[in-house]
Amino acid sequence: MTTVTSMPDRRFEAVVFVASEPVEADLDGSLAAALDAGLAVAVVAPGPGRDAAVLLRSERVASRSVLLLASGDGPDRTVVEDGRVLPTTEAGEPLNWIRRELWARGIDRAGTLVLADAPQREVLVAQVERRRTRHLPEVDPAPGWGLVLEGHDPEGERVRATLTTLADGRLGIGGATVVHDPGAPSWSMVAGVYDGDGPETHLLPGPVAASLPWRLHPEGGVARTLDLRTGVLHERALTDVGPVRSVRFASLRRPGSVVERACGPADPEGPLLVAPDGARVTDGVGWKAAAGTSGGIVAAVTAAVTPAPDGVVLDRMIAYEGDPEDLPDPATATARARELAGCGFDLLLAEHRAAWAARWEDADVEIDGDDELQLGVRFALFHLMASVADEGEAAVGARGLSGQAYRGHVFWDSDTFVLPFLAATHPPAARAMLEYRVRRLDAALDTARRRGRRGARFPWESARTGYDVTPSSARDRTGRLVPIRTGLLEEHVVAQVAWATSCYVDWTGDADFARGPGLELLVQTARYWESRVRTDAAGAAHIYGVVGPDEYHEPVDDNAFTNVVARWNLRRAADAVEAADVGAPAGLDEARAWRHVADALVDGYDPTTRVYEQFAGFHELEALFIAEVAPRLPIAADLLLGRDRVRGAQVLKQADVLMLHHLVPEEVVPGSLRPNLDFYEPRTAHGSSLSPAMHAALAARAGDHEGALSALRMATRIDLDDLTGTTAGGLHLATMGGVWQALAFGFAGLRPRHGRLVVDPQLPPAWDGLRLRVRFHGSRVRVRIGHEELHLESDRPVPVHVDGIDAVVEGTGLRFGRAAEGWELLT
Amino acid sequence: MSRIIAAVDDSAAAHPVVAAAQLLAPVFGAEVEGVHVADVEGRTAAAAAAGFKIPFRTVPGEPLDVLVSLAADDDVVGFAIGQRSHVAAAATGHLALGLAGSVDKPVLVVPPRAVLPDRFRRVLIAMAGVPGRARELKRAIALAADADLELVAVHVDDESSVPSFSDQVQYETEAYAEEFLARYAPGAPGVRLDLRIGAPVEEILAACAQEHPDVLAMGWPHADEPERGEVVRAVLERSPVPVLLVATR
């Protein structure tokens, strides 16, 4: 924030008055008007705290925007928000305090005007006038927070529209330009609202905002900036009739609400909403509905066109209602659209911005010393947060709310890769993901029963009903029709549901869930495994005929990954039952039986080599080091070498055994990571987009900083550089979850373990520092990792474990210093 | 009226060149003019033109220079030229490739024994390598779509361009194909995509044998990218149907 003495000719989101005199007595309602218009106001003046009560009474401040008052000569601090005076204990330099408070509401330095001894009333009136005349907010994201896409690339526009997807957990809309561009049409979808049946089930496309009728100028193009900090998409386009500026967001504060302001050369006229192609559409005045097989999506719109100095301004508010089972009532959407219009653009922007800032407060990861990676990481975290609802149930498809690819089907990706980030940063969203599984437990029980098993058999691909929707065959890139066996054989998904349950409980300490639906999930998945194993004459337990994460080999017997996660599942369920109260869904005898089965399960570990054999017979396959036959890595080895060749060779699609070291390290032999990494890494093609992030995490744990960084960088570029050629169909959400896991589990070494937070950093020399924010058992924990110092903070007492040291962190925190071997507690 | 230049030599190859040019002309909404680059009018060349009742002229000079200069005329929208050169020592299609590499206008290269239909109905658009290079054929696709031709696109990845990632096969091909067509065939909703992996020349010719197109369309790089022309050279050598080369940059 730079202090100036005259007011620049533009709109600001916050104004800070630094006054040598007390707050002006005669603001004449201008302060209340400014706050009502969504402007944040702060005052640093002699004794404002003493004047606050008088000021608030005289101005009748009751707005949702924020007023900050700081004493320039004392510790007084006052925050007024939602019409209430909030307690604050912070002191320190007043402008720094104000900067932090504004930042926490999504307002950065570029959006803040700091004025010294300025005429307060005039400034406020001028800023209010800019809002009354519908000026667009400026865009200048803070470093590391802006995804800037310049120019118009006809072939790349669909990818850009995906990269700039705006979503609120319930609704996703593409970031295609607001003006006419037939090469990148708009789209919308609502989580969990599907059309079709069986394998053909897909996310239902919803109505969209009609594009403005002007075409991009051939020599003009378009520039878009997605502000990741606030979830606002800014666009400047040069069209055949002149420049068009727009600002859009999908309100995080009010899910299902799209807010748009566009400034163009003339009244765009024409329709405001467009129905999706091929959908069963109904419409009425100001609304359109698309019906799916059972549910549907309704969008209702309000719009206002007002004159502006360089044309007109269009404010368009769209309220979406989606329901998986019934077509929503258009009246509900219409009423909400009117409510949005009543709030107005500026207040909706202010509350949306604040909601995003609040999410980042608990989730940001900061990397000192690698700006490109920093942006890639924030890009991933942004879309992870945007893709998952935090109430009800969250059906998180492979591409989230960013595209139709993979038809919105829910894979193990969501439980294994996406959920941990949310469990550790925004538990309600992780809980909603688990609720999706809980509500489909009956289908999983029925599936197991039909297959002659007990317990719950969750599907490889899930959609609305909870029954498997995996296709049975498909054409591959060589044009061959190939059988798809994952639906029948990739059973480790059952254990991943249990793993996700435990991950959530371990991070949150949610006892109600752990005793209730969480316990039910653990018990029913354990029952499945107990009924799935076969015991041989020697008493060893086996799981025959499965597919592991390495899908190049199918079917296989005793896949180490499947057997070990099943073993973990059985033991974790037994632990839970034994710790449960009377009335648990399983008894102690059953728990003992699970332990017996778990102990008998073979895992392929060879104590001589300390390597787990990926499945029975893997070591007899052709030894093949993929780098020696591939022109580059990663590579889809099944396409390069053919399915038959890879099936007969030691070449992996992605981490399989090694995933055990990442997901259930307590279930593998201590010290076995390095030998297994040495054995499997040269055999891994990384042909799955999940692979680079996992190997980044594993390499970090093994102390291979260079390998870890290289893999992490690739993971962050998969969508940004469209490395798969399919990003236009949606973002690779699991990869994004993997990016966070690589940072949190891999580099920072964070793990919840027995009610403590374990921290075991591996900071690459190329970085100056790494900072993470997580929530652990309800506490806000900050982790700052440097080469010589480790700093932990928490707003409440949190037990931590660092390098053999047990301690409790709270308040200003604990400092650990680098010792000869590991860390030592300093304070 | 725009023109297709049928660049003929004084050999038996002149006849199929003019015939193919006549089939190409409706695609562009053009007429055909026969041009023989020589100091003296060739009887065979002139007879071929006369047989199709098209205007014909003989122009002295170096063949490539003359044809390139003709391309500068705004009303010239394309060329048809024989695959074989009468210069015995020259490589197959050297003049055709030289022309395609020098001008921005499509060049139809006609094999000497091409079996030509009564009109062009089906075009096989062939591309090899990483998707970024496929945009070069967008023009050809748009042109063919506008002319209401049936379009089949074959895209061949070889070892160097095999995708880095392929997650779930049941969706990966679908997602890739959908995006490929959206990018490179946006104006041709009826185009069918045939994805292949293997040796590009063999796979393109195999697709040709399977699809029985009337014309094969391929991108041809300008002179500053000669290394990208190997597949085209090899296909030209063996293609049984005319090959429409589309200039790329």
Side-chain angles (χ1 to χ4, degrees), chain B:
Chain B
M1 192 71 175
S2 52
R3 287 181 291 151
I4 299 278
I5 301 294
V8 293
D9 59 12
D10 198 30
S11 75
H15 183 274
V17 168
V18 178
Q22 288 282 76
L23 297 175
L24 186 63
V27 176
F28 288 86
E31 293 178 340
V32 178
E33 179 189 14
V35 172
H36 177 214
V37 183
D39 294 333
V40 179
E41 181 176 294
R43 290 173 57 192
T44 305
F52 285 94
K53 298 184 174 63
I54 61 168
F56 176 77
R57 58 181 161 142
T58 300
V59 182
E62 278 297 313
L64 182 58
D65 294 342
V66 169
L67 295 175
V68 169
S69 68
L70 288 173
D73 292 346
D74 288 343
D75 64 337
V76 172
V77 294
F79 292 83
I81 192 167
Q83 180 202 50
R84 301 277 179 193
S85 167
H86 67 281
V87 180
T92 298
H94 84 285
L95 180 57
L97 293 175
L99 179 61
S102 305
V103 302
D104 273 337
K105 296 169 182 177
V107 176
L108 185 68
V109 185
V110 186
R113 284 180 289 280
V115 178
L116 298 172
D118 58 343
R119 68 181 178 91
F120 286 159
R121 293 181 177 83
R122 177 180 289 186
V123 180
L124 178 68
I125 297 180
M127 42 197 108
V130 295
R133 295 181 186 175
R135 71 184 59 169
E136 62 208 23
L137 284 165
K138 205 170 167 182
R139 278 173 54 199
I141 292 173
L143 194 66
D146 288 347
D148 206 22
L149 300 179
E150 184 186 349
L151 278 171
V152 181
V154 57
H155 178 230
V156 185
D157 280 308
D158 63 6
E159 186 179 85
S160 67
S161 65
V162 161
S164 295
F165 302 102
S166 180
D167 289 336
Q168 299 287 301
V169 65
Q170 60 268 39
Y171 301 113
E172 212 57 28
T173 308
E174 171 182 284
Y176 184 85
E178 183 178 327
E179 177 57 14
F180 188 94
L181 292 175
R183 286 187 194 188
Y184 305 118
V191 66
R192 186 155 48 83
L193 180 61
D194 179 3
L195 293 171
R196 290 168 179 255
I197 293 176
V201 175
E202 302 306 322
E203 293 296 334
I204 289 169
L205 292 172
C208 207
Q210 185 176 313
E211 298 289 347
H212 302 293
D214 301 315
V215 177
L216 181 62
M218 300 184 74
W220 175 250
H222 271 241
D224 55 348
E225 303 170 276
E227 74 282 1
R228 288 177 50 195
E230 291 170 11
V231 172
V232 175
R233 287 179 199 278
V235 170
L236 273 185
E237 179 83 32
R238 296 165 57 188
S239 173
V241 298
V243 180
L244 185 69
L245 298 179
V246 180
T248 66
R249 289 188 184 280

